[in-house]
Structure formats: structure tokens, C-alpha cells
Amino acid sequence: MELRLYNTLSRKKEKFEPLKPGAAGIYTCGPTVYDYAHIGNLRTYIFEDVLVRAFKLFGYGVKRVMNTTDVGHLTSDADTGEDKMEVGARREGKSAWDVAKFYTEAFFKDYRALNCLMPDILCPATDYIKEMVELVLALEKKGFTYRIGDGIYFDTAKLPDYGKLAGKSHIEGIKEGARVEANAEKRNPADFALWKFSRPEEKRQMEWDSPWGRGFPGWHVECSAMAMKHLGETIDIHCGGEDAVAVHHTNEIAQSEAATGKPFANYWLHGRFLVMGELGKMSKSAGGFITVQTLAGKGIDPLDYRYFCFTAHYRKQLEFTWESLDSSGKALAALRGTVAKLAEETTFKKTAAKLDKGSAYYLKFVEALADDLNVPQALAALWETLRSPALAPEEKLGFALAADEVLGLELNRAPVVEALPPELLAMVEERRQARKNKDFKRSDELRKALLERGVLIEDTPQGAHWKLVKKQ
Ligand code: AMP
Ligand code: ZN
């Protein structure tokens, strides 16, 4: 089946054509590890996780590379301001290295709690300083760089198609924006730092020697160097959140393509923001953001949030509310309940889960994913299949388990059942024994007594089940 993805570069959906048959190299920009990730950041990682899982479903061998930005991301995209890591270090009274270690671990704890598959290659930017310096040297050799007081910069005027990712009008906007905060020494407002010098008055914790003096790499050069090191000069797919388009990814393209003369990435995929009421975009700098710990503190399963992310296409903004998260939690519990029942029925029939990959219901699910990762539609196909009277339990179960390979919702996790007080459980057990001994009179008495106390007994071919109902 043809896999079609919306490419920000061409502004249309395109058929995915890999560089190497059957393989997909994916680079995803990772977190800046100076604070906890919020659930907005995590929406982007969930989208990328489903992308990786979908590629696997389509039979591709995936090599996914993700960095952690542990140096060089400044508080302003215009290459001014302080390094976010140094800000974090001051805030916490720790070394920048300890801050990076702590928040990297915290990030992956949240990431795994959301059932995101670990990347094949994880690269902390500080491990790749040599590659970054080499990239800047290559750019210098080709005449794309110049030196000013605070660093080595990329001359965007030397690249005729600079800004092609964001589009012309967008780029004009960036130039205007950059001008406001611009360093007066820059040749063009959109020029960006490749290597920044440590300021003598600021005692930086993270700095390295380079052919141009002691300092640290620019944020954009990090991703280009690491992506090319692990995936080659041209890569299949590069992803990130929508805020990366205008500056970060635009500049990654500029410096990579200027250095190699080859296209940097064939497909650029961007997830839209998670927004919240009047705050708008959830962001670390705006404060008041929600994390996986916030959810855990309220007893909410992180996978309820994963399900919530599936209620909108990744290219649509998603509005967070506690009510919609609650509805997603209920929907997920209902799905798990249905799957648990199917598993029980299948075991009772002494058969196993079956998956017919050619069947219309499975194709509907797969086609939705193949159409630019339409997860809401794929999820609807799953619900429709589970409700269909035409399918046997083992077929529904086979389908649900296959769908879960992509959705990662742990659908076969038994739903949490409220425990009955021991006294009522004893009555349920006594009724079971009575029925087994064909003492129907006693069994009926107990059934009625339980119903009066809000416990409904249902006899199924697999035995008696109870559920809580309104007291009668
Ligand atoms: P950062 O840790 O700030 O470098 O961001 C990590 C990732 O989260 C990047 O891909 C961002 O584009 C993305 N991101 C930031 N804020 C949001 C948001 N509110 N919704 C979705 N993605 C976001
Ligand atoms: Zn990046």
C-alpha cells in the first residue's frame, strides 16, 4: 500500500519513496533538557512514535535518531539571550551537566510512560562537538561563514533558496522578527550563529576549544551534524513541532545543503501545537504547564493522554481540557474492557486471536494510517470493527492486538475493576457454589440480595460475572 505523508517542504501530501528500498531513516529533534517536558512537547513525541510504529507496520526497517539538546539552545531564536542549560543550572543551583542528566532521565521516564518506543540512536549534543566543528569548517571552506564579535555566523544571502521550508512570506516575517532583536553586526537579519564565543565576563560551564576560539555550538548546527553522522548527508524524514519550521529547521537545511550540495531531508513532517485556553500554546517559558507528573498526581494514566492525542490529526491544533482528557480515559477503559471480554470469549471457545490482513476492516485501519497518519480515522476503524456483529470474537481480538502495535495503548491490559468488599465477594462465591450444586432457590435469593446492595450478577457461558449498578 502506498504511504502518503504531508511534506512541509512541498506543502502537499506525497507518496513516500525511501532512499533505500524497505528502509526509513528518521531524525526527530529531541528535548532541550533544562526542565521537565510538558504534555505539549510530548504530543509531538507521540505523533513521531506513531509514525515510527506505522512504518514498521508497513514493513519498513526503521532507523530513528533523536538528540537531546544539552547545550546551545538560547532563550531567543535570534541567537541572543542565555543558554537555556545555564539558566536551568542557576535556577537549581546545580551544574549544567547535572541539570542535563537529571532532565534527560526525567524526559525518558515520561516518554516511556507514554509508551513511546526508544529511538535506535540517542545523541546528546555535547557528545558531537567534533562533528559540529567539522561541519562549520566545511562551511567556512565554501565561503558561507563570517566572523563577528560574538561568533561565527552563516551568511544566508549566499544561499539562493534560503527559507524554502517556511515559504517566502513566512521568511519575510522572520527577517522582520529577527531585526527587532538582531545583533547589529550581522550581515543579514536571518543569519544565524554556527559557533558562539564564550563571553569573558560569563563563566560558562559548557564550553570547548575550536579553531575560532573557546565557545559552544549554535543550536541548529547540532541537529545537522548529528543527523548526517547517523543517517547520511541526505536523510528520508526529519520531524519536529510546528515551531521548528521557521527558524530551526530552516537553518538546518541551509547549513547542511550549503555544506554538502545535496538535499538534507526528503520529507519534513511537523506536528501542530497542543494549546490550552487563554494560555494558547503550551510552553515551558510561559510557565503553568502540565507534565506527566501533574497527571500522575491526579491518578491519571499517562496512556489516557496518549489516547487523547489520537482524537485529533497531528496536523491539527489540539485544545487541552481536563474534561476531554477524562472522556479519553473513559473511552480507553471501554476499549480495554471490550478487548478483555473478547480475550475471555476467545479462550472459552478454545481458539486463538486471528488476523486477516486482507479483510476490509483491517484495510480500513491501515488505509487511514497510510493517508498521512490519520490516527483519529484509524481509531474510528478500530471501534467500528469491535462493534461489528459480523465478526467472530477471535477476529476482533486479532485485529485489536494488531492495531495496538501502532496505537500503543496497551489494549490487552485488564481494565481496573473496583474490588468488592469481602462480605459481598463471599456472597458472590456462595451463589456460585449454590448454582454449581443446582440449588437454584438459594442462588436466586443471593442474586436478589446482591442486587439490593448494588451488585448485578450476570450468568455467561464462561461463568458468573458481577458488575456494580445502582442499588435497588
Ligand atoms: P523543546 O524541548 O523546547 O526543544 O521542544 C521539544 C519539542 O516539542 C519540539 O519538537 C517542539 O516543536 C515541540 N513543542 C513545543 N511546544 C509544543 C506544544 N505546545 N505542542 C506540541 N509540540 C510542542
Ligand atoms: Zn533539531
Side-chain angles (χ1 to χ4, degrees):
M1 189 178 299
E2 196 170 277
L3 176 56
R4 294 171 66 77
L5 298 169
Y6 182 88
N7 190 348
T8 310
L9 194 57
S10 63
R11 282 168 262 287
K12 56 177 194 279
K13 277 189 209 171
E14 289 175 26
K15 177 181 177 209
F16 177 71
E17 302 271 15
L19 288 161
K20 276 188 247 144
I26 305 178
Y27 185 87
T28 53
C29 289
T32 307
V33 284
Y34 73 111
D35 205 336
Y36 289 107
H38 55 67
I39 56 171
N41 301 128
L42 291 161
R43 177 185 188 203
T44 296
Y45 297 107
I46 291 171
F47 135 60
E48 293 163 347
D49 181 61
V50 175
L51 178 75
V52 167
R53 287 167 177 264
F55 265 103
K56 291 185 174 172
L57 179 88
F58 284 95
Y60 286 89
V62 178
K63 181 171 174 187
R64 194 244 178 125
V65 180
M66 183 159 108
N67 73 297
T68 49
T69 304
D70 54 357
V71 68
H73 193 170
L74 303 188
T75 47
S76 154
D77 269 1
D79 290 325
T80 55
E82 227 185 319
D83 191 319
K84 293 185 179 186
M85 295 310 303
E86 305 272 339
V87 173
R90 203 175 43 244
R91 182 188 63 223
E92 307 205 355
K94 288 186 194 163
S95 78
W97 297 98
D98 286 344
V99 168
K101 184 171 181 295
F102 178 84
Y103 287 110
T104 300
E105 281 167 13
F107 173 78
F108 284 108
K109 194 164 165 244
D110 295 346
Y111 181 89
R112 279 191 301 261
L114 287 161
N115 248 353
C116 293
L117 303 176
M118 285 303 280
D120 302 288
I121 297 178
L122 245 184
C123 21
T126 48
D127 284 355
Y128 293 80
I129 303 295
K130 184 173 136 282
E131 286 77 3
M132 295 166 198
V133 168
E134 280 166 6
L135 180 56
V136 182
L137 280 172
L139 289 168
E140 190 176 56
K141 222 165 137 195
K142 292 195 164 187
F144 282 99
T145 67
Y146 62 94
R147 179 184 189 119
I148 54 175
D150 70 349
I152 304 295
Y153 279 71
F154 184 92
D155 187 346
T156 53
K158 295 232 164 97
L159 197 68
D161 62 358
Y162 177 77
K164 62 184 173 184
L165 184 70
K168 216 169 173 337
S169 59
H170 205 147
I171 282 300
E172 290 310 315
I174 301 166
K175 287 184 180 166
E176 281 308 309
R179 203 168 276 136
V180 179
E181 307 178 68
N183 176 335
E185 286 186 84
K186 284 204 296 193
R187 288 185 189 164
N188 311 287
D191 291 357
F192 55 92
L194 296 164
W195 186 264
K196 291 263 304 190
F197 303 137
S198 300
R199 286 201 300 258
E201 73 277 12
E202 161 203 44
K203 187 68 212 102
R204 277 188 65 89
Q205 300 183 30
M206 291 175 155
E207 55 178 4
W208 295 265
D209 286 326
S210 81
W212 315 279
R214 208 158 167 76
F216 58 97
W219 172 36
H220 320 303
V221 92
E222 298 180 357
C223 284
S224 288
M226 292 182 280
M228 290 200 276
K229 161 101 180 173
H230 291 297
L231 296 168
E233 292 182 339
T234 300
I235 68 178
D236 285 306
I237 299 177
H238 197 309
C239 308
E242 60 174 307
D243 55 343
V245 177
V247 180
H248 183 50
H249 289 170
T250 286
N251 292 344
E252 276 190 52
I253 292 177
Q255 66 208 355
S256 308
E257 299 191 352
T260 66
K262 298 176 188 161
F264 177 40
N266 287 337
Y267 301 86
W268 287 87
L269 270 58
H270 295 98
R272 296 288 306 272
F273 284 149
L274 178 80
V275 295
M276 199 168 113
E278 287 176 356
L279 275 179
K281 174 200 168 192
M282 190 171 286
S283 77
K284 290 181 200 173
S285 44
F289 57 78
I290 299 168
T291 64
V292 168
Q293 285 81 41
T294 321
L295 302 184
K298 292 174 179 281
I300 298 170
D301 176 355
L303 295 186
D304 291 0
Y305 178 66
R306 188 172 167 105
Y307 187 102
F308 168 72
C309 289
F310 295 164
T311 60
H313 188 266
Y314 77 91
R315 282 193 297 112
K316 292 246 162 63
Q317 215 174 62
L318 178 60
E319 169 84 39
F320 179 83
T321 64
W322 290 106
E323 294 73 39
S324 10
L325 180 63
D326 186 54
S327 311
S328 292
K330 288 192 173 120
L332 178 55
L335 261 186
R336 287 191 183 136
T338 307
V339 170
K341 246 188 176 142
L342 290 171
E344 218 173 78
E345 288 170 39
T346 305
T347 316
F348 181 70
K349 279 176 74 179
K350 295 200 170 46
T351 175
K354 254 190 220 153
L355 176 67
D356 176 1
K357 289 192 175 174
S359 63
Y361 59 90
Y362 184 70
L363 287 177
K364 210 165 174 183
F365 176 81
V366 176
E367 272 161 13
L369 293 172
D371 180 17
D372 192 29
L373 222 59
N374 194 334
V375 180
Q377 208 170 302
L379 197 57
L382 170 63
W383 274 108
E384 195 189 324
T385 306
L386 295 184
R387 288 186 182 125
S388 161
L391 293 172
E394 60 273 23
E395 288 174 302
K396 292 185 186 182
L397 183 65
F399 173 83
L401 298 180
D404 204 30
E405 290 289 313
V406 179
L407 300 174
L409 290 168
E410 294 186 2
L411 294 183
N412 56 354
R413 193 208 282 175
V416 180
V417 282
E418 283 178 73
L420 280 186
E423 174 204 345
L424 295 183
L425 268 185
M427 284 166 74
V428 172
E429 178 54 22
E430 193 189 336
R431 180 184 175 275
R432 195 183 66 78
Q433 287 295 344
R435 228 178 117 77
K436 198 171 144 205
N437 299 334
K438 300 202 171 7
D439 182 355
F440 296 115
K441 189 167 162 281
R442 179 70 188 140
S443 148
D444 270 358
E445 277 168 16
L446 284 161
R447 190 173 191 283
K448 265 190 211 138
L450 280 162
L451 194 58
E452 275 163 20
R453 309 200 41 190
V455 181
L456 173 71
I457 301 287
E458 286 176 330
D459 292 307
T460 76
Q462 292 84 277
H465 288 212
W466 60 263
K467 70 177 177 199
L468 294 177
V469 290
K470 256 177 76 190
K471 282 186 187 160
Q472 302 203 341

